[in-house]
């Protein structure tokens, strides 16, 4: 229902959506302070931003999920560096920054992201949903 | 320059058997550790998703490890385009793909593998 409210309020068409989920713990295990983390997935600006968050592993996980969800929504092979997601803890509705090539190719006005963390006894799971909005056609 | 040397320089780069074995062992050990299974339980026919519960994060981390070890500069999108034509569902296919990536780099998209 929330997405429909967005569409009516934003005046855009919903052209696609994607979803992805990952365990946060997998990112904790892979992060090494002496190395750039996944440089083919995250830009330097993203990494700098995530490392300033209260929980960097959650931020990296959220961004990874958002990017995967985005590429699922457009059914294109992953090229993670064509988009950026500056996840912040205190903002539940955020936008994925998409490069001009993809915006033009898919008519994307905005890629809205919702991120939720689900706490289980043994782990925390991040779920990200991406909604692609394009111009309304009359 | 003699003909043999010219031919060697103009054909596709080769990697030796030792390096191929090294790549195979690296991949087997990687999946063994990530999926918490013994390497003896993995074969070339093991399906990464169905049997090992593998996913894209696992494959991306493997790619990064291979890129660092062999100093590769292959773009993720190049690999994605290749996988669209020739998916790698089993461990053996990932081994073959990795050997091809080490051999050809970004040229892999032009190869008829």
């Amino acid at each position: 229902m929330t997405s429909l409210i967005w569409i009516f309020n934003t005046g855009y068409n919903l052209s696609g959506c994607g979803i992805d989920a990952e365990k946060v713990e997998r990112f904790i295990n892979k992060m090494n302070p002496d190395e750039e983390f996944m440089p083919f997935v995250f830009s330097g600006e993203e990494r700098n931003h995530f490392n300033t968050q209260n929980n960097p592993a959650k931020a990296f996980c959220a961004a990874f999920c958002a990017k995967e969800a985005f590429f699922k929504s457009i059914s294109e092979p992953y090229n993670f560096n064509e988009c950026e997601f500056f996840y912040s803890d205190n903002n539940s509705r955020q936008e994925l920054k998409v490069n001009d090539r993809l915006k033009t190719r898919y008519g994307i006005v905005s890629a809205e992201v919702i991120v939720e963390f689900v706490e289980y006894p043994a782990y925390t799971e991040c779920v990200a949903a991406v909604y692609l909005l394009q111009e309304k056609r009359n | 320059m003699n003909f043999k040397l010219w031919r060697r320089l103009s054909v596709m780069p080769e990697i030796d058997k030792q390096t191929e074995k090294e790549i195979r062992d690296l991949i087997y050990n990687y999946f063994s550790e990530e999926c918490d299974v013994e390497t003896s339980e993995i074969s070339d026919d093991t399906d990464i998703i169905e049997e090992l519960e593998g996913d894209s994060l696992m494959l991306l981390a493997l790619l990064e490890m291979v890129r660092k070890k062999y100093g590769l500069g292959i773009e993720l999108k190049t690999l994605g385009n290749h996988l669209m034509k020739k998916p790698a569902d089993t461990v053996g296919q990932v081994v073959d793909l990795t050997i091809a990536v080490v051999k050809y780099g970004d040229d892999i998209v032009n190869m008829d593998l």
Side-chain angles (χ1 to χ4, degrees):
Chain A
M1 195 60 179
T2 305
S3 59
L4 291 177
I5 294 171
W6 273 356
I7 290 164
F8 291 132
N9 284 349
T10 63
Y12 295 122
N13 279 345
L14 178 68
S15 65
C17 63
I19 190 164
D20 193 60
E22 300 289 350
K23 292 180 185 175
V24 175
E25 282 68 19
R26 295 180 72 189
F27 287 78
I28 295 171
N29 297 339
K30 286 180 174 19
M31 287 167 68
N32 182 337
D34 297 326
E35 289 179 356
E36 284 185 339
F37 183 59
M38 289 194 166
F40 52 89
V41 175
F42 304 113
S43 66
E45 289 80 9
E46 284 177 304
R47 283 197 296 277
N48 289 340
H49 174 79
F50 300 149
N51 284 326
T52 65
Q53 299 300 299
N54 292 331
N55 188 329
K58 282 176 90 170
F60 275 104
C61 186
F64 182 83
C65 289
K67 291 185 175 202
E68 279 243 330
F70 171 69
F71 283 103
K72 285 178 188 179
S73 71
I74 60 174
S75 299
E76 212 183 79
Y78 303 142
N79 195 23
F80 289 101
N81 294 129
E82 289 196 279
C83 60
E84 290 179 310
F85 184 58
F86 295 95
Y87 172 75
S88 292
D89 291 329
N90 56 3
N91 194 353
S92 62
R93 180 179 159 185
Q94 302 172 57
E95 186 177 340
L96 191 82
K97 292 186 191 308
V98 179
N99 74 1
D100 290 339
R101 182 190 80 84
L102 291 174
K103 276 187 173 176
T104 304
R105 183 180 170 96
Y106 297 101
I108 298 170
V109 170
S110 172
E112 305 273 334
V113 186
I114 295 180
V115 176
E116 295 285 345
F117 290 94
V118 182
E119 302 283 345
Y120 293 101
Y123 62 89
T124 302
E125 186 163 68
C126 174
V127 182
V130 168
Y131 298 90
L132 300 184
L133 302 180
Q134 64 180 192
E135 293 289 353
K136 232 183 202 337
R137 292 193 190 91
N138 295 322
Chain B
M1 184 185 295
N2 63 35
F3 174 75
K4 278 189 180 175
L5 179 59
W6 171 83
R7 188 163 183 282
R8 187 181 168 81
L9 290 174
S10 37
V11 298
M12 295 307 148
E14 292 294 324
I15 60 173
D16 58 28
K17 293 294 179 195
Q18 171 78 7
T19 304
E20 286 193 13
K21 183 180 183 311
E22 186 181 272
I23 291 170
R24 176 177 291 279
D25 289 344
L26 184 148
I27 290 169
Y28 268 62
N29 289 332
Y30 175 79
F31 282 117
S32 170
E33 197 174 311
E34 282 292 314
C35 306
D36 198 23
V37 296
E38 298 291 333
T39 50
S40 56
E41 293 176 56
I42 301 172
S43 73
D44 278 10
D45 294 327
T46 301
D47 190 296
I48 293 165
I49 294 174
E50 298 293 331
E51 297 179 70
L52 299 179
E53 296 183 356
D55 59 15
S56 53
L57 180 59
M58 204 180 284
L59 291 173
L60 285 169
L62 174 62
L63 172 64
E64 180 60 12
M65 195 168 70
V66 170
R67 275 166 46 131
K68 276 184 190 162
K69 184 170 176 64
Y70 295 101
L72 305 175
I74 186 169
E75 293 290 329
L76 192 58
K77 187 168 186 184
T78 302
L79 198 57
N81 286 333
H82 177 79
L83 285 168
M84 296 280 277
K85 289 190 292 183
K86 193 167 184 179
D89 299 320
T90 66
V91 173
Q93 287 170 337
V94 171
V95 170
D96 292 341
L97 174 64
T98 307
I99 289 170
V101 166
V102 172
K103 267 188 186 178
Y104 305 118
D106 275 320
D107 280 339
I108 194 173
V109 72
N110 299 320
M111 295 295 122
D112 184 21
L113 300 173

Coordinates of all heavy atoms in Angstrom, one line a residue, chain A residues 22 26-27 30 35-36 38-41 64 68 75-80 82 101, chain B residues 30 34 55-58 60-61 63-65 67-68 75-78 80-81 84:
Chain A
E22 N 20.2 -9.9 2.8 CA 21.5 -10.5 3.1 C 21.6 -10.4 4.6 O 21.1 -9.5 5.3 CB 22.6 -9.7 2.5 CG 22.7 -9.6 1.0 CD 23.1 -10.9 0.3 OE1 23.5 -11.9 1.0 OE2 22.9 -11.0 -0.9
R26 N 27.6 -11.5 7.5 CA 28.5 -11.8 6.4 C 29.4 -10.7 6.0 O 30.5 -10.9 5.5 CB 27.7 -12.2 5.2 CG 26.9 -13.5 5.4 CD 26.1 -13.9 4.2 NE 27.0 -14.4 3.1 CZ 26.6 -14.7 1.9 NH1 25.4 -14.4 1.6 NH2 27.4 -15.1 1.0
F27 N 29.0 -9.5 6.2 CA 29.8 -8.3 5.9 C 30.8 -8.0 7.0 O 31.9 -7.6 6.8 CB 28.9 -7.1 5.7 CG 28.2 -7.1 4.4 CD1 27.1 -7.9 4.2 CD2 28.7 -6.5 3.3 CE1 26.4 -8.1 3.0 CE2 28.0 -6.6 2.1 CZ 26.9 -7.4 1.9
K30 N 33.8 -10.2 6.5 CA 34.6 -9.9 5.3 C 35.3 -8.6 5.4 O 36.2 -8.4 4.6 CB 33.7 -9.9 4.1 CG 33.2 -11.3 3.6 CD 32.4 -11.2 2.4 CE 32.0 -12.5 1.8 NZ 32.1 -13.7 2.6
E35 N 42.1 -3.0 4.2 CA 41.9 -3.1 2.8 C 40.7 -2.4 2.4 O 39.7 -2.2 3.2 CB 41.7 -4.6 2.5 CG 42.9 -5.5 2.6 CD 42.5 -6.9 2.2 OE1 41.4 -7.2 2.0 OE2 43.5 -7.7 2.2
E36 N 40.6 -1.9 1.2 CA 39.4 -1.3 0.6 C 38.4 -2.5 0.5 O 38.7 -3.5 0.0 CB 39.6 -0.8 -0.8 CG 40.4 0.5 -0.8 CD 40.4 1.1 -2.2 OE1 40.3 0.3 -3.2 OE2 40.7 2.3 -2.4
M38 N 35.5 -4.4 -1.1 CA 34.7 -4.6 -2.3 C 34.8 -3.3 -3.2 O 33.7 -2.7 -3.4 CB 33.3 -4.9 -2.0 CG 33.1 -6.3 -1.4 SD 31.4 -6.8 -1.5 CE 31.6 -8.6 -1.2
P39 N 35.9 -3.0 -3.7 CA 36.0 -1.8 -4.5 C 35.3 -1.8 -5.8 O 35.0 -0.8 -6.4 CB 37.5 -1.7 -4.8 CG 38.1 -3.0 -4.6 CD 37.2 -3.7 -3.5
F40 N 34.9 -3.0 -6.3 CA 34.1 -3.1 -7.5 C 32.6 -3.0 -7.2 O 31.8 -3.0 -8.1 CB 34.4 -4.5 -8.2 CG 34.3 -5.7 -7.3 CD1 33.1 -6.3 -7.2 CD2 35.4 -6.1 -6.6 CE1 32.9 -7.4 -6.3 CE2 35.2 -7.2 -5.7 CZ 34.0 -7.8 -5.6
V41 N 32.2 -2.9 -5.9 CA 30.8 -2.7 -5.6 C 30.6 -1.3 -5.1 O 29.6 -0.7 -5.4 CB 30.4 -3.8 -4.5 CG1 29.0 -3.5 -4.1 CG2 30.5 -5.2 -5.1
F64 N 24.6 -2.8 -0.4 CA 24.8 -4.0 -1.3 C 23.4 -4.5 -1.6 O 23.1 -4.8 -2.8 CB 25.6 -5.1 -0.6 CG 25.8 -6.3 -1.4 CD1 26.8 -6.3 -2.4 CD2 24.9 -7.4 -1.3 CE1 27.0 -7.5 -3.2 CE2 25.1 -8.5 -2.2 CZ 26.1 -8.5 -3.1
E68 N 21.8 -4.6 -5.4 CA 21.3 -5.9 -6.0 C 19.9 -5.8 -6.4 O 19.5 -6.2 -7.5 CB 21.5 -7.0 -5.0 CG 22.9 -7.6 -4.9 CD 23.0 -9.1 -5.3 OE1 22.0 -9.8 -5.1 OE2 24.0 -9.5 -5.8
S75 N 16.9 -6.0 -14.6 CA 17.3 -7.2 -15.3 C 18.6 -7.0 -16.1 O 18.6 -7.4 -17.3 CB 16.2 -7.8 -16.2 OG 15.1 -8.1 -15.4
E76 N 19.5 -6.3 -15.5 CA 20.8 -6.1 -16.2 C 21.9 -6.7 -15.4 O 21.9 -6.8 -14.2 CB 21.0 -4.6 -16.4 CG 21.8 -4.2 -17.6 CD 22.1 -2.8 -17.8 OE1 23.1 -2.3 -17.2 OE2 21.4 -2.1 -18.6
P77 N 23.0 -7.2 -16.1 CA 24.1 -7.7 -15.4 C 24.7 -6.7 -14.5 O 24.7 -5.5 -14.8 CB 25.1 -8.1 -16.5 CG 24.4 -8.1 -17.7 CD 23.2 -7.2 -17.6
Y78 N 25.1 -7.1 -13.3 CA 25.6 -6.2 -12.3 C 26.7 -5.3 -12.8 O 27.7 -5.8 -13.3 CB 26.1 -6.9 -11.0 CG 25.1 -7.8 -10.4 CD1 25.5 -9.1 -9.9 CD2 23.7 -7.5 -10.3 CE1 24.5 -9.9 -9.3 CE2 22.8 -8.3 -9.8 CZ 23.2 -9.5 -9.3 OH 22.3 -10.4 -8.7
N79 N 26.6 -4.0 -12.6 CA 27.8 -3.1 -12.7 C 27.6 -2.1 -11.6 O 27.1 -1.0 -11.8 CB 27.8 -2.4 -14.1 CG 29.2 -1.8 -14.2 OD1 30.2 -2.2 -13.6 ND2 29.3 -0.8 -15.1
F80 N 27.9 -2.6 -10.4 CA 27.6 -1.9 -9.2 C 28.0 -0.5 -9.1 O 27.4 0.4 -8.4 CB 28.1 -2.6 -7.9 CG 27.4 -3.9 -7.6 CD1 28.0 -5.1 -8.0 CD2 26.2 -3.9 -7.0 CE1 27.4 -6.3 -7.7 CE2 25.6 -5.1 -6.7 CZ 26.2 -6.3 -7.1
E82 N 27.8 1.7 -11.2 CA 26.9 2.7 -12.0 C 25.8 3.3 -11.1 O 25.0 4.0 -11.5 CB 26.3 2.0 -13.2 CG 27.2 1.6 -14.3 CD 26.5 1.3 -15.6 OE1 26.1 0.2 -15.7 OE2 26.5 2.2 -16.4
R101 N 23.6 7.0 -17.8 CA 23.4 6.0 -18.8 C 22.2 5.1 -18.4 O 21.3 4.9 -19.3 CB 24.6 5.0 -18.9 CG 24.5 4.0 -20.0 CD 25.6 2.9 -19.9 NE 25.4 1.9 -18.9 CZ 24.6 0.8 -19.1 NH1 24.0 0.6 -20.2 NH2 24.5 -0.1 -18.1
Chain B
Y30 N 37.8 -22.2 -1.3 CA 36.9 -21.1 -1.0 C 35.5 -21.5 -0.7 O 34.9 -21.2 0.3 CB 36.9 -20.1 -2.2 CG 35.9 -19.0 -2.1 CD1 36.2 -17.9 -1.3 CD2 34.7 -19.0 -2.6 CE1 35.3 -16.8 -1.1 CE2 33.8 -18.0 -2.5 CZ 34.1 -16.9 -1.7 OH 33.2 -15.9 -1.5
E34 N 33.5 -21.2 2.7 CA 32.3 -20.3 2.8 C 31.0 -21.1 3.1 O 30.1 -20.7 3.7 CB 32.1 -19.7 1.4 CG 33.0 -18.5 1.2 CD 32.7 -17.3 2.1 OE1 31.5 -16.9 2.2 OE2 33.6 -16.7 2.6
D55 N 25.5 -17.7 -3.4 CA 24.7 -16.6 -3.9 C 25.7 -15.6 -4.5 O 26.9 -15.8 -4.6 CB 23.9 -15.9 -2.7 CG 24.8 -15.5 -1.6 OD1 26.0 -15.4 -1.7 OD2 24.2 -15.2 -0.5
S56 N 25.2 -14.4 -4.9 CA 26.0 -13.5 -5.6 C 27.1 -12.9 -4.8 O 28.2 -12.6 -5.3 CB 25.1 -12.4 -6.2 OG 24.3 -11.8 -5.2
L57 N 26.8 -12.7 -3.5 CA 27.8 -12.1 -2.6 C 29.0 -13.0 -2.5 O 30.1 -12.5 -2.6 CB 27.2 -11.9 -1.2 CG 28.1 -11.3 -0.1 CD1 28.7 -9.9 -0.6 CD2 27.4 -11.1 1.2
M58 N 28.7 -14.3 -2.4 CA 29.8 -15.3 -2.4 C 30.7 -15.2 -3.7 O 31.9 -15.2 -3.6 CB 29.2 -16.6 -2.2 CG 30.1 -17.7 -1.6 SD 29.2 -19.3 -1.5 CE 28.1 -19.0 -0.1
L60 N 30.9 -12.7 -5.8 CA 31.6 -11.4 -5.9 C 32.9 -11.4 -5.0 O 33.9 -10.9 -5.5 CB 30.7 -10.3 -5.5 CG 29.6 -9.9 -6.4 CD1 28.6 -8.9 -5.8 CD2 30.2 -9.3 -7.7
A61 N 32.8 -12.0 -3.8 CA 33.9 -12.1 -3.0 C 35.0 -13.0 -3.6 O 36.2 -12.7 -3.5 CB 33.5 -12.6 -1.6
L63 N 35.4 -13.4 -6.8 CA 36.0 -12.7 -7.9 C 37.0 -11.7 -7.4 O 38.1 -11.5 -8.0 CB 34.9 -11.9 -8.7 CG 35.3 -10.9 -9.7 CD1 36.1 -11.6 -10.9 CD2 34.2 -10.1 -10.3
E64 N 36.7 -11.0 -6.3 CA 37.6 -10.0 -5.8 C 38.9 -10.7 -5.3 O 40.0 -10.2 -5.5 CB 37.0 -9.3 -4.6 CG 37.9 -8.2 -3.9 CD 38.3 -7.1 -4.9 OE1 37.8 -7.0 -6.0 OE2 39.2 -6.4 -4.5
M65 N 38.8 -11.9 -4.8 CA 40.0 -12.6 -4.3 C 40.9 -13.0 -5.5 O 42.1 -12.8 -5.5 CB 39.5 -13.9 -3.6 CG 40.6 -14.6 -2.8 SD 39.9 -15.8 -1.7 CE 39.4 -17.1 -2.9
R67 N 40.9 -11.5 -8.5 CA 41.4 -10.2 -9.1 C 42.7 -9.8 -8.3 O 43.7 -9.4 -8.9 CB 40.4 -9.1 -9.0 CG 39.4 -9.1 -10.2 CD 38.2 -8.3 -10.0 NE 38.5 -7.0 -9.5 CZ 38.0 -5.8 -10.0 NH1 37.3 -5.9 -11.1 NH2 38.2 -4.7 -9.4
K68 N 42.6 -9.9 -7.0 CA 43.8 -9.4 -6.2 C 44.9 -10.4 -6.4 O 46.1 -10.0 -6.6 CB 43.4 -9.4 -4.7 CG 42.7 -8.2 -4.3 CD 42.5 -8.2 -2.8 CE 41.6 -7.1 -2.3 NZ 41.0 -7.3 -1.0
E75 N 36.4 -5.8 -15.7 CA 35.2 -5.1 -15.2 C 34.1 -6.1 -14.8 O 34.0 -7.1 -15.5 CB 34.7 -4.2 -16.2 CG 35.6 -3.0 -16.5 CD 35.7 -2.0 -15.4 OE1 34.7 -1.9 -14.6 OE2 36.8 -1.4 -15.2
L76 N 33.4 -5.8 -13.7 CA 32.3 -6.7 -13.3 C 31.3 -6.8 -14.4 O 30.7 -7.9 -14.6 CB 31.7 -6.1 -12.0 CG 30.8 -7.1 -11.3 CD1 31.4 -8.4 -10.9 CD2 30.3 -6.4 -10.0
K77 N 31.0 -5.7 -15.1 CA 30.0 -5.8 -16.2 C 30.4 -6.7 -17.3 O 29.6 -7.4 -17.9 CB 29.8 -4.4 -16.7 CG 28.6 -4.3 -17.7 CD 28.2 -2.9 -18.0 CE 27.0 -3.0 -18.8 NZ 26.5 -1.7 -19.3
T78 N 31.7 -6.7 -17.6 CA 32.2 -7.6 -18.7 C 31.9 -9.1 -18.3 O 31.5 -9.9 -19.1 CB 33.7 -7.5 -18.8 OG1 34.0 -6.1 -19.1 CG2 34.3 -8.4 -19.9
G80 N 29.6 -10.0 -16.1 CA 28.2 -10.2 -16.2 C 27.7 -10.5 -17.6 O 26.8 -11.4 -17.8
N81 N 28.2 -9.8 -18.5 CA 27.8 -10.0 -19.9 C 28.2 -11.4 -20.4 O 27.4 -12.1 -21.1 CB 28.4 -9.0 -20.9 CG 27.7 -7.6 -20.7 OD1 26.6 -7.5 -20.4 ND2 28.5 -6.5 -20.9
M84 N 25.8 -13.9 -18.9 CA 24.5 -14.0 -19.5 C 24.5 -15.0 -20.7 O 23.5 -15.6 -21.0 CB 24.1 -12.6 -20.1 CG 24.0 -11.5 -19.0 SD 22.4 -11.6 -18.2 CE 21.4 -10.7 -19.3

